[in-house]
């Protein structure tokens, strides 16, 4: 896509979201980077995009709160005039076995990952409908497809995101809006940094391509889904997992 197109990335200050922001900036998008609290990290990212000749803005807001999601979308439109791509990337984990999982840990993961995705799509839809074009890309997980012990909350949220993806794709297709999801496997970020070496070794054995994923592996797929090269693809879930789940 050429300059003048606008992408908003939720939770974009670090990890996968940061890589997506940099990649879409390179692809020519103006970038609205949503962040909840890490303002120094987001400033660095905005500077990096601007130093590379791109346009970027940091937009604070908690996606799990309906009115804040509304303001993230509104501020993006106020700043850049339109929204061509929404990447629902913001996510958290609160892992634990079902026998011990606290109700608050279940609720929090659903609120950020699943409700946050709903909130942002709910508010971006009128903008994209007016434009009669847009791409919505949701970050799910292979945990939402295959399940994962210790992640009932997270896998429920990520499976729910697949449901949202497919239903929204059906609702919005006739108006030129594509809705797809990516389902990463094990990607090296802060989210996975605290897993023990033993757990990481066990996961590695389950990956046919014999390596963990990088943030760039995810950003490459998102770049494709944000581009016109994917115009005939909607309602799909692309796994980025080295073949872990087939
Ligand atoms: P990360 O912890 O580095 O990044 C998550 C980002 O979301 C952070 O910037 C955080 O501040 C932001 N965030 C959290 N709650 C928020 C809220 N309420 N409002 C706005 N922003 C909020 O993790 P990551 O690995 O980069 O994860 C990015 C996405 O990829 C998440 O949706 C995650 O579930 C998904 N994912 C990651 C992996 C992996 O292996 N790392 C695998 C599959 C899916």
């Amino acid at each position: 896509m050429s300059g003048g197109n606008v992408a908003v990335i939720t939770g974009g200050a670090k990890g996968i979201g940061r890589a997506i922001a940099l990649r879409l900036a390179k692809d020519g998008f103006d970038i609205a980077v949503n962040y909840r609290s890490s303002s120094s990290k987001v400033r660095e990212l905005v500077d990096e995009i601007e130093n590379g000749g791109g346009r970027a803005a940091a937009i604070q807001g908690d996606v799990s709160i309906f009115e804040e999601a509304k303001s993230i979308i509104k501020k993006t439109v106020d700043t850049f005039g339109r929204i061509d791509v929404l990447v629902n990337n913001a996510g958290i984990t609160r892992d634990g076995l079902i026998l011990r999982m606290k109700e608050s840990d279940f609720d929090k993961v659903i609120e950020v990952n699943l409700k946050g995705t709903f909130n942002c799509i709910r508010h971006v839809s009128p903008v994209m409908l007016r434009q009669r074009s847009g791409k919505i890309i949701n970050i799910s997980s292979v945990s939402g497809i295959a399940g994962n012990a210790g992640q009932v909350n997270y896998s429920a949220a990520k499976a729910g995101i697949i449901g949202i993806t497919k239903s929204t794709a059906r609702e919005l297709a006739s108006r030129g809006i594509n809705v797809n999801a990516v389902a990463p496997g094990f990607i090296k970020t802060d989210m996975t940094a605290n897993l023990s070496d033993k757990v990481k070794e066990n996961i590695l054995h389950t990956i046919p391509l014999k390596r963990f994923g990088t943030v760039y592996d995810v950003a490459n797929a998102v770049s494709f889904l944000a581009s016109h090269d994917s115009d005939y693809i909607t309602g799909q879930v692309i796994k980025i997992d080295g073949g872990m789940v087939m």
Side-chain angles (χ1 to χ4, degrees):
M1 292 218 183
S2 58
N5 288 299
V6 178
V8 51
I9 297 125
T10 67
K14 66 188 182 89
I16 292 171
R18 184 177 198 282
I20 292 169
L22 288 167
R23 174 57 192 263
L24 294 186
K26 205 169 128 211
D27 291 346
F29 287 92
D30 296 340
I31 304 293
V33 193
N34 156 251
Y35 69 104
R36 191 192 38 181
S37 54
S38 44
S39 61
S40 60
K41 282 205 184 77
V42 83
R43 194 61 351 248
E44 274 171 35
L45 175 59
V46 167
D47 287 348
E48 191 172 336
I49 292 170
E50 287 178 346
N51 291 338
R55 294 213 303 161
I59 297 190
Q60 199 276 331
D62 181 336
V63 296
S64 70
I65 299 169
F66 193 71
E67 287 304 319
E68 292 199 21
K70 185 175 185 178
S71 110
I72 293 165
I73 299 301
K74 182 177 183 306
K75 283 183 200 157
T76 302
V77 173
D78 290 348
T79 307
F80 292 121
R82 54 186 289 123
I83 299 179
D84 299 283
V85 173
L86 165 67
V87 184
N88 281 306
N89 166 79
I92 58 164
T93 50
R94 296 275 189 279
D95 294 355
L97 297 171
I98 185 73
L99 274 173
R100 286 197 288 268
M101 184 169 288
K102 286 191 270 166
E103 183 186 12
S104 58
D105 286 341
F106 185 85
D107 289 347
K108 191 69 197 163
V109 167
I110 297 291
E111 276 163 25
V112 174
N113 295 273
L114 184 60
K115 181 83 187 306
T117 296
F118 162 75
N119 287 342
C120 293
I121 295 178
R122 169 67 183 78
H123 295 302
V124 89
S125 296
V127 178
M128 291 182 170
L129 283 169
R130 269 196 304 277
Q131 296 169 182
R132 299 191 76 83
S133 71
K135 306 260 191 185
I136 297 172
I137 303 157
N138 300 320
I139 312 294
S140 178
S141 165
V142 292
S143 289
I145 297 170
N148 193 20
Q151 290 197 314
V152 288
N153 48 2
Y154 185 76
S155 56
K158 294 301 191 183
I161 286 174
I162 293 173
I164 289 181
T165 301
K166 293 181 179 180
S167 294
T168 318
R170 288 186 188 280
E171 287 188 28
L172 302 181
S174 65
R175 314 294 280 272
I177 300 166
N178 302 49
V179 189
N180 291 291
V182 296
F186 185 104
I187 309 297
K188 283 189 279 181
T189 67
D190 288 352
M191 190 172 269
T192 46
N194 291 333
L195 296 176
S196 70
D197 287 347
K198 182 81 197 141
V199 169
K200 286 184 192 163
E201 201 185 308
N202 288 342
I203 295 170
L204 198 53
H205 284 305
T206 69
I207 303 175
L209 287 178
K210 290 292 166 228
R211 69 169 175 87
F212 296 130
T214 69
V215 292
Y216 309 107
D217 291 317
V218 182
N220 288 341
V222 171
S223 167
F224 167 66
L225 290 174
S227 77
H228 288 305
D229 289 344
S230 62
D231 279 353
Y232 198 54
I233 299 175
T234 198
Q236 303 304 308
V237 184
I238 301 180
K239 295 186 210 86
I240 307 164
D241 66 347
M244 194 159 73
V245 176
M246 295 188 188

